[in-house]
Amino acid sequence: GSVVASYPYDDSPTHKPTGVYSKSADDEVFRYLAKAYASNHPIMRTGKPNCPGEEGETFQDGITNGAQWYDVEGGMQDYNYVWANCFEITLELSCCKYPPASELQQEWENNRDSLLAFIEKV
């Protein structure tokens, strides 16, 4: 896990594991939506999720192009965009995939304003 808003494409023509910006035709829209979410999240907006084992990982403005972060061939985000014209971003909301129940209220607080801002943009 991480704390970042990722947008298409997740796959790149070169299939290099990381570092290839794979721009979609709607790149500006995806960046706008991802930034709307990230800029309202207290951790995501810093671009420094500080996840255990990945303390040096950073994301400018709390967003990333999927393939630039890491290449994923055949992912749902790209499939839905290409074949169903669905505009999706992927929200990584926690370093921990399954946060304990005791942390869920804080997760809600961290994401509430981001969710509302995202819904307003959509």
Side-chain angles (χ1 to χ4, degrees), residues 17-88:
T18 186
V20 177
Y21 195 102
S22 190
K23 186 176 180 178
S24 73
D26 296 293
D27 192 68
E28 285 184 45
V29 173
F30 284 120
R31 289 178 54 81
Y32 175 76
L33 292 173
K35 205 167 185 180
Y37 195 97
S39 67
N40 287 283
H41 190 286
I43 298 168
M44 199 178 292
R45 72 173 161 233
T46 70
K48 298 175 184 173
N50 201 30
C51 293
E54 298 290 337
E55 290 84 0
E57 187 171 60
T58 61
F59 303 100
Q60 184 175 347
D61 299 321
I63 67 174
T64 188
N65 173 260
Q68 188 170 26
W69 185 20
Y70 65 92
D71 193 273
V72 174
E73 188 174 354
M76 286 299 296
Q77 180 171 264
D78 291 359
Y79 178 87
N80 288 335
Y81 174 59
V82 171
W83 298 106
N85 201 32
C86 292
F87 285 46
E88 296 180 10

